Amino acid sequence: MAKEKKLVEAITSMEEDFAQWYTDVVKKAELVEYSSIRGCMIIRPNGYAIWENIQKELDRRFKETGVENVYMPMFIPESLLQKEKDHVEGFAPEVAWVTHGGLEPLQERLCVRPTSETLFCDFYSNIVQSYRDLPKLYNQWCSVVRWEKTTRPFLRSMEFLWQEGHTAHATAEEAEDRTIQMLNVYADFCEQVLAIPMIKGKKTDKEKFAGAHSTYTIEALMHDGKALQSGTSHNFGDGFAHAFDIQYTDKENKLQYVHQTSWGMSTRIIGAVIMVHGDDSGLVLPPRIAPTQVMIIPIAQHKEGVLEKAAELKEKLGNFRVKVDDTDKSPGWKFSEQEIRGIPLRIEIGPKDIEANQAVIVRRDTREKIIASLDTIEVTVGEVLETMQKEMLERARAHRDAHTSSAADYEEFKSSIENKPGFVKAMWCGDRTCEDKIKEETGATSRCIPFEQEEVADTCVCCGKKAKSMVYWGKAY
Amino acid sequence: MAKEKKLVEAITSMEEDFAQWYTDVVKKAELVEYSSIRGCMIIRPNGYAIWENIQKELDRRFKETGVENVYMPMFIPESLLQKEKDHVEGFAPEVAWVTHGGLEPLQERLCVRPTSETLFCDFYSNIVQSYRDLPKLYNQWCSVVRWEKTTRPFLRSMEFLWQEGHTAHATAEEAEDRTIQMLNVYADFCEQVLAIPMIKGKKTDKEKFAGAHSTYTIEALMHDGKALQSGTSHNFGDGFAHAFDIQYTDKENKLQYVHQTSWGMSTRIIGAVIMVHGDDSGLVLPPRIAPTQVMIIPIAQHKEGVLEKAAELKEKLGNFRVKVDDTDKSPGWKFSEQEIRGIPLRIEIGPKDIEANQAVIVRRDTREKIIASLDTIEVTVGEVLETMQKEMLERARAHRDAHTSSAADYEEFKSSIENKPGFVKAMWCGDRTCEDKIKEETGATSRCIPFEQEEVADTCVCCGKKAKSMVYWGKAY
Ligand SMILES: [Zn+2]
Ligand SMILES: [Zn+2]
């Protein structure tokens, strides 16, 4: 019992110290392990299996829109990175440089890709000639490196896994459509699969991607009231095409520049899953993304017939991702482990249950116990998982809404940011000066200019000039 | 017509220049494109889709044996790489070194992983404490970098994609069993899915992996008679465990070193698929690995009802990976493209076929035409694909057997290596000196000491001393 208690006690409570709670959960749920390279994490089987499910779901959705996967080199020659001025300014300060190959110094140093716009542009300039070659709808799954000063598992690490989509189109309109289309793919995926509601909108110029004409984002609210940018989609217009000379011959035989987009989602989103759904007992995984959806825990498993019945039950639940914990640990220990790992359902089955032809289903999120007949338990499990998935989204939405306020003037704004962790909706004049001032004085950044606009006031919350648009503000990860 | 001819003519014939044929095929089938980084290739959608199918098949087979996926950092600190003496000697000369992060020089330089034994060992030394923690059966899908002087698409590139499995076991016996088990997984996969027969065996000490106690390999024979090492599985014994201090407490509470294995297969295997099955018209893909198994090509598609019927046919073949080429290219052009890309079957359907309620199936490998009734075409397609898969393996095996000879003495051996491209089976005394001499004088290397031994003579083919074992020799990629 002492050992069991320790397993649970090891998680700091969220209220006490949210950051420590997060660190405890990723460690105790065995999602990651620190490595001997500063800022680089090891993604362990429990963590990687979540990423594999995310990949599977996203990849299918991408392919349904015509996207094809490719693989680009991980190195970018310095001269290539420098071709687009804004882009290199944004990334050069945070890349890792390879200067030696084998025993020889390189003639030109190579950076380890922080993102691959320049490589795709170079590629497109070689393979795009005619309007018949367009659009190009490519994506790659890979790791990228950004030399971050402070790092946290999943949220900010020197190396992280992601997908980066890069498309080239004949017209500006097509590029804009694709940018929005992929943002919607991300938002739908997050809501339907990860049970995380998203605010969709546009980044301000200050916050947009280096080299982009416009950046769109989905923003989520974590349990502690901080925002997390969860996926971005960029429209580059023909800026990169000019820098890399990507031209095609149109139907009238005239040379035109292509219009490009890029869009990415990374392992950072696993951080969002943890911080939106987790509780003081550990991780809580939405059923659709959980590597194991059901853990069967035999009670008094040394008694005759119990393990056999548990194995039979597993067979019966073959449509779900299900495991039996038949190790020699105590049931209490197994419960704690299942809870820490966030496995959506556990099913307890012991001699008395078997006698009554039933089993006890326990939901991870609400701890609700459901007694199910063994005859139809596969139906019950399906229903409970669906309900849980739905309710997790509703709960996350309710939490976000309860932590979203409006501010009409600067005093109200400052007070909200300080006292009510969450999003603050407020009007903005469109000037960078106000955005900078707000960040400096309150720590809040503009999260996005949401597609769904409201007029919470007439004037800019900061300078009082005529407002251009409503912005979501908040402190962010 | 002129344009169509050009598409086909662009492939050099195999007999004329096999190396140029290979380069033409990877380029014309749009498997890869060269990048602006020397020795790094871009894997295009046609090539990457093959790799995705390989991943899917292998990953499933790994998981069936209990393997879990993880992700390790791409960087290895120099001090970590140096912990195992043989290993660092083998790899240090061919790694890329990161010396700067952002604007700062690093205190210790990092190499980009050429392989991840050292990272896994470091990880295992942290997470393995008791016999209860064993075995650890981990794998990762990633890219690795080796600073090669000369490179060729898929066969040898500075960066390549692969999987690397790394396991830790309580006993030497378990580690040896796992090493052989994974070699068998590779061999079965290659035979059943890629239709490439493999010779399974052990590498000589000269050819084994840096730091391994023993290396097992599967070796395939290419169309030109050269051998290709297609997958390797290494038993490290407890050598790395000593270097990295990976110990566990056994059931008697005594400290023991773990025993480790690693095993890998890379995008190199795509090179084998090309060079075993390809012909003068391009790629020929085995049905089980082909991203598109069937290409429907409408004939006279402007005529009423043709495109509709083609779409209907695609629906009917929903169990296969099938596409319709309804572009405005001519049928002849489409045929050439389908052939270059190695799509196993094409189905021609035109007004006359529709009238006769039939379609014409054409096999890519034999060009055999099969007239199939539209009523049962999904059955016919299934059968033809199965037959093609089977016959491709048989043909590859017959080719290999026809290009395998035995040599009893050195004169015969030298003549065989020079005049009969292929494997030469010959006896060996076990001395490195003979192996070195053979390589120097004939260009052939020991491919493996096959599990299936034969006594083709009593004495070493090189020195005439008593032979220890029969070895497959050959020139290799
Ligand atoms: Zn203002
Ligand atoms: Zn000898």
Side-chain angles (χ1 to χ4, degrees):
Chain A
M1 259 333 257
K3 217 178 165 191
E4 272 161 40
K5 256 198 133 173
K6 218 176 102 197
L7 189 72
V8 178
E9 270 176 16
I11 299 182
T12 306
S13 97
M14 297 172 112
E15 297 310 314
E16 194 182 307
D17 183 345
F18 193 79
Q20 189 58 45
W21 169 84
Y22 180 80
T23 309
D24 288 350
V25 169
V26 296
K27 197 77 200 295
K28 296 287 160 187
E30 297 190 350
L31 301 181
V32 306
E33 174 73 33
Y34 295 95
S35 76
S36 43
I37 305 98
R38 187 190 70 80
C40 291
M41 61 179 176
I42 293 166
I43 307 183
R44 301 183 70 169
N46 288 348
Y48 199 80
I50 298 173
W51 183 238
E52 284 182 306
N53 284 347
I54 291 172
Q55 285 188 300
K56 211 181 293 166
E57 288 281 343
L58 277 179
D59 200 67
R60 182 173 56 74
R61 284 155 206 255
F62 294 162
K63 283 175 178 159
E64 279 169 9
T65 73
V67 170
E68 299 177 295
N69 285 335
V70 300
Y71 186 76
M72 304 294 285
M74 72 152 82
F75 298 126
I76 307 173
E78 189 164 16
S79 55
L80 195 64
L81 187 69
Q82 286 171 338
K83 277 201 170 182
E84 212 284 338
K85 192 181 61 63
D86 293 334
H87 190 69
V88 66
E89 269 175 29
F91 283 103
E94 56 175 52
V95 297
W97 291 103
V98 173
T99 56
H100 287 71
L103 308 170
E104 310 286 331
L106 301 185
Q107 290 196 306
E108 178 181 15
R109 56 184 196 160
L110 306 171
C111 83
V112 181
R113 63 180 161 221
T115 178
S116 306
E117 275 73 14
T118 53
L119 293 164
F120 275 91
C121 285
D122 195 35
F123 180 33
Y124 287 146
S125 73
N126 287 326
I127 63 166
V128 172
Q129 270 103 39
S130 136
Y131 69 93
R132 288 169 192 271
D133 299 326
L134 295 172
K136 290 290 181 205
L137 308 173
Y138 291 164
N139 174 62
Q140 73 173 349
W141 293 94
C142 63
S143 80
V144 289
V145 169
R146 296 179 189 176
W147 217 257
E148 303 278 0
K149 294 243 161 20
T150 53
T151 63
R152 301 192 61 193
F154 296 121
L155 299 176
R156 195 172 293 279
S157 49
M158 293 224 316
E159 181 189 5
F160 58 88
L161 300 177
W162 78 346
Q163 59 67 219
E164 44 178 326
H166 296 265
T167 69
H169 304 267
T171 67
E173 198 191 349
E174 246 189 69
E176 179 68 9
D177 287 350
R178 172 59 63 169
T179 314
I180 301 295
Q181 180 183 21
M182 299 321 287
L183 191 79
N184 285 329
V185 166
Y186 289 147
D188 289 349
F189 162 75
C190 289
E191 296 212 5
Q192 289 162 24
V193 180
L194 306 182
I196 303 177
M198 290 289 166
I199 305 286
K200 296 191 274 192
K202 195 174 179 173
K203 285 283 183 194
T204 61
D205 279 353
K206 174 184 165 86
E207 300 287 337
K208 76 180 185 190
F209 184 81
H213 278 203
S214 43
T215 288
Y216 298 97
T217 180
I218 49 172
E219 301 279 327
L221 200 69
M222 304 298 103
H223 185 85
D224 64 345
K226 279 198 196 164
L228 189 87
Q229 175 181 307
S230 304
T232 48
S233 189
H234 316 291
N235 185 344
F236 293 112
D238 59 3
F240 274 89
H242 279 271
F244 286 81
D245 196 29
I246 315 173
Q247 288 183 286
Y248 71 94
T249 317
D250 70 11
K251 287 185 185 169
E252 279 75 45
N253 219 26
K254 280 202 296 206
L255 272 180
Q256 305 280 1
Y257 286 100
V258 301
H259 292 74
Q260 290 170 274
T261 83
S262 82
W263 25 277
M265 184 169 270
S266 75
T267 38
R268 183 162 224 238
I269 198 72
I270 297 175
V273 172
I274 299 167
M275 292 195 292
V276 167
H277 300 302
D279 65 20
D280 280 347
S281 303
L283 209 56
V284 181
L285 291 174
R288 293 200 186 135
I289 210 69
T292 303
Q293 296 174 309
V294 179
M295 180 64 84
I296 298 170
I297 300 181
I299 310 295
Q301 67 182 34
H302 57 281
K303 295 224 171 132
E304 206 192 316
V306 173
L307 283 177
E308 289 76 0
K309 204 71 187 176
E312 222 174 83
L313 183 51
K314 188 187 167 197
E315 280 297 302
K316 209 167 157 59
L317 298 176
N319 281 336
F320 306 97
R321 298 187 286 269
V322 55
K323 282 188 178 169
V324 177
D325 187 348
D326 55 6
T327 57
D328 56 6
K329 299 165 191 163
S330 75
W333 180 266
K334 292 176 186 178
F335 293 172
S336 293
E337 263 188 352
Q338 171 257 335
E339 292 191 342
I340 286 181
R341 292 185 185 182
I343 296 168
L345 303 186
R346 76 165 180 258
I347 300 184
E348 305 170 12
I349 185 158
K352 281 180 204 156
D353 300 305
I354 296 170
E355 215 173 299
N357 192 41
Q358 66 177 39
V360 183
I361 302 173
V362 185
R363 262 174 71 168
R364 171 64 185 87
D365 58 336
T366 57
R367 298 228 160 78
E368 188 191 345
K369 291 194 176 199
I370 299 125
I371 302 205
S373 157
L374 289 179
D375 295 336
T376 52
I377 194 165
E378 72 278 18
V379 180
T380 316
V381 164
E383 287 165 356
V384 175
L385 287 173
E386 273 310 294
T387 307
M388 179 172 168
Q389 178 81 32
K390 203 171 116 265
E391 290 181 5
M392 284 180 75
L393 174 61
E394 282 166 11
R395 214 175 304 126
R397 186 172 281 128
H399 175 271
R400 184 193 66 189
D401 292 348
H403 291 78
T404 301
S405 55
S406 300
D409 61 47
Y410 202 43
E411 284 316 303
E412 198 182 353
F413 183 85
K414 282 194 286 190
S415 154
S416 288
I417 290 292
E418 209 177 311
N419 305 316
K420 299 187 213 158
F423 286 129
V424 179
K425 297 190 279 191
M427 304 309 288
W428 178 50
C429 60
D431 279 354
R432 170 82 183 248
T433 336
C434 290
E435 211 181 342
D436 287 340
K437 189 178 168 203
I438 286 174
K439 183 169 182 190
E440 206 188 301
E441 295 183 357
T442 71
T445 49
S446 71
R447 302 317 308 151
C448 68
I449 307 165
F451 293 158
E452 285 186 28
Q453 283 285 311
E454 297 164 53
E455 270 199 51
V456 299
D458 297 326
T459 52
C460 175
V461 75
C462 182
C463 68
K465 278 189 233 156
K466 195 169 154 23
K468 268 199 184 138
S469 42
M470 190 266 278
V471 169
Y472 273 89
W473 307 84
K475 291 187 180 169
Y477 278 97
Chain B
M1 260 332 256
K3 217 179 165 192
E4 273 161 42
K5 253 193 137 175
K6 216 176 102 200
L7 188 72
V8 179
E9 269 176 16
I11 299 182
T12 306
S13 99
M14 297 173 111
E15 298 310 313
E16 194 183 306
D17 183 345
F18 192 78
Q20 189 58 47
W21 169 84
Y22 180 81
T23 309
D24 288 351
V25 169
V26 295
K27 196 77 202 292
K28 296 287 160 187
E30 297 189 349
L31 301 181
V32 306
E33 175 72 31
Y34 296 95
S35 76
S36 44
I37 305 99
R38 186 191 70 80
C40 291
M41 62 180 175
I42 293 165
I43 307 184
R44 301 183 69 171
N46 288 348
Y48 199 80
I50 298 173
W51 182 237
E52 285 182 306
N53 283 347
I54 290 172
Q55 286 188 300
K56 210 181 297 169
E57 288 280 344
L58 278 178
D59 200 67
R60 182 173 55 74
R61 284 155 206 255
F62 295 162
K63 283 175 178 160
E64 279 169 10
T65 73
V67 170
E68 299 178 295
N69 284 336
V70 300
Y71 187 77
M72 304 294 283
M74 69 151 83
F75 298 127
I76 307 173
E78 188 164 19
S79 56
L80 195 65
L81 187 70
Q82 285 170 339
K83 277 201 169 180
E84 213 283 340
K85 194 181 60 65
D86 292 336
H87 190 70
V88 66
E89 270 175 27
F91 283 104
E94 55 175 50
V95 295
W97 291 103
V98 173
T99 57
H100 286 70
L103 308 170
E104 308 288 329
L106 301 184
Q107 290 197 306
E108 178 181 15
R109 57 185 195 160
L110 305 171
C111 84
V112 182
R113 64 180 159 221
T115 179
S116 306
E117 275 73 13
T118 52
L119 293 165
F120 274 92
C121 284
D122 195 35
F123 180 33
Y124 287 146
S125 73
N126 287 327
I127 63 165
V128 172
Q129 270 103 40
S130 136
Y131 69 93
R132 288 168 193 269
D133 299 326
L134 295 173
K136 290 290 180 206
L137 308 173
Y138 290 165
N139 174 63
Q140 73 172 349
W141 292 94
C142 64
S143 80
V144 289
V145 169
R146 296 179 189 176
W147 217 258
E148 303 278 0
K149 293 242 161 22
T150 54
T151 62
R152 300 190 61 194
F154 296 120
L155 300 176
R156 194 171 294 280
S157 48
M158 295 226 314
E159 181 189 5
F160 58 86
L161 300 177
W162 79 346
Q163 59 66 220
E164 44 178 325
H166 295 265
T167 69
H169 304 268
T171 67
E173 198 191 349
E174 245 189 69
E176 179 69 8
D177 287 350
R178 172 59 62 168
T179 315
I180 302 295
Q181 180 183 21
M182 299 320 287
L183 192 80
N184 285 330
V185 166
Y186 287 147
D188 289 349
F189 162 75
C190 288
E191 296 210 6
Q192 288 163 24
V193 179
L194 306 182
I196 303 177
M198 289 288 165
I199 305 287
K200 295 191 272 192
K202 196 174 177 171
K203 284 284 182 193
T204 62
D205 280 353
K206 175 185 163 86
E207 299 286 339
K208 78 181 183 191
F209 184 81
H213 278 203
S214 43
T215 289
Y216 298 97
T217 179
I218 49 172
E219 301 279 326
L221 199 70
M222 304 298 103
H223 186 87
D224 65 345
K226 279 199 195 162
L228 189 88
Q229 175 181 306
S230 305
T232 47
S233 189
H234 316 291
N235 185 343
F236 293 112
D238 58 3
F240 274 89
H242 279 272
F244 286 82
D245 196 29
I246 315 172
Q247 288 184 289
Y248 70 96
T249 318
D250 70 11
K251 286 184 187 172
E252 280 75 46
N253 219 26
K254 281 201 296 203
L255 271 181
Q256 304 281 2
Y257 287 99
V258 301
H259 291 74
Q260 291 171 273
T261 83
S262 82
W263 25 277
M265 185 169 267
S266 75
T267 37
R268 185 163 222 236
I269 198 72
I270 297 175
V273 171
I274 300 166
M275 292 196 291
V276 168
H277 300 302
D279 65 20
D280 281 347
S281 303
L283 208 56
V284 182
L285 291 174
R288 292 198 190 138
I289 210 69
T292 303
Q293 297 174 308
V294 179
M295 181 64 85
I296 298 170
I297 300 181
I299 309 294
Q301 68 182 33
H302 58 281
K303 292 220 171 133
E304 205 191 318
V306 173
L307 283 177
E308 289 76 359
K309 205 72 187 175
E312 220 174 84
L313 182 51
K314 188 188 167 199
E315 279 298 299
K316 209 167 157 57
L317 298 176
N319 281 336
F320 307 98
R321 298 186 287 270
V322 55
K323 282 188 178 167
V324 177
D325 187 349
D326 55 7
T327 58
D328 56 7
K329 300 165 189 165
S330 75
W333 179 265
K334 292 176 185 178
F335 293 172
S336 293
E337 263 188 352
Q338 170 257 335
E339 292 192 341
I340 286 181
R341 291 183 186 185
I343 296 168
L345 303 185
R346 77 165 179 258
I347 300 184
E348 305 169 11
I349 185 159
K352 282 180 201 155
D353 300 303
I354 296 170
E355 213 173 299
N357 191 42
Q358 66 177 38
V360 183
I361 302 173
V362 185
R363 262 174 72 168
R364 171 64 184 86
D365 60 335
T366 58
R367 298 228 160 77
E368 188 191 344
K369 291 196 175 196
I370 300 124
I371 301 203
S373 158
L374 288 179
D375 295 336
T376 52
I377 194 163
E378 72 278 18
V379 180
T380 316
V381 164
E383 288 165 357
V384 175
L385 286 173
E386 272 311 292
T387 308
M388 179 171 167
Q389 179 81 31
K390 201 170 117 266
E391 290 182 5
M392 284 180 76
L393 175 60
E394 281 165 12
R395 213 176 304 126
R397 186 173 278 126
H399 175 271
R400 184 193 66 189
D401 293 348
H403 291 79
T404 301
S405 55
S406 300
D409 59 45
Y410 202 43
E411 285 316 303
E412 198 183 352
F413 183 86
K414 284 194 287 189
S415 154
S416 288
I417 291 292
E418 209 178 312
N419 305 315
K420 297 187 213 157
F423 286 129
V424 179
K425 297 190 278 191
M427 304 309 289
W428 178 50
C429 60
D431 280 356
R432 168 83 183 246
T433 336
C434 290
E435 209 181 344
D436 287 341
K437 190 178 167 201
I438 286 173
K439 183 169 183 190
E440 205 188 304
E441 295 182 358
T442 71
T445 49
S446 71
R447 302 316 309 151
C448 69
I449 306 164
F451 293 157
E452 287 187 27
Q453 282 286 309
E454 296 164 54
E455 269 199 50
V456 299
D458 297 326
T459 53
C460 175
V461 75
C462 181
C463 67
K465 278 190 233 156
K466 195 168 153 27
K468 268 199 185 139
S469 42
M470 190 266 275
V471 168
Y472 273 88
W473 307 84
K475 291 187 178 167
Y477 278 97

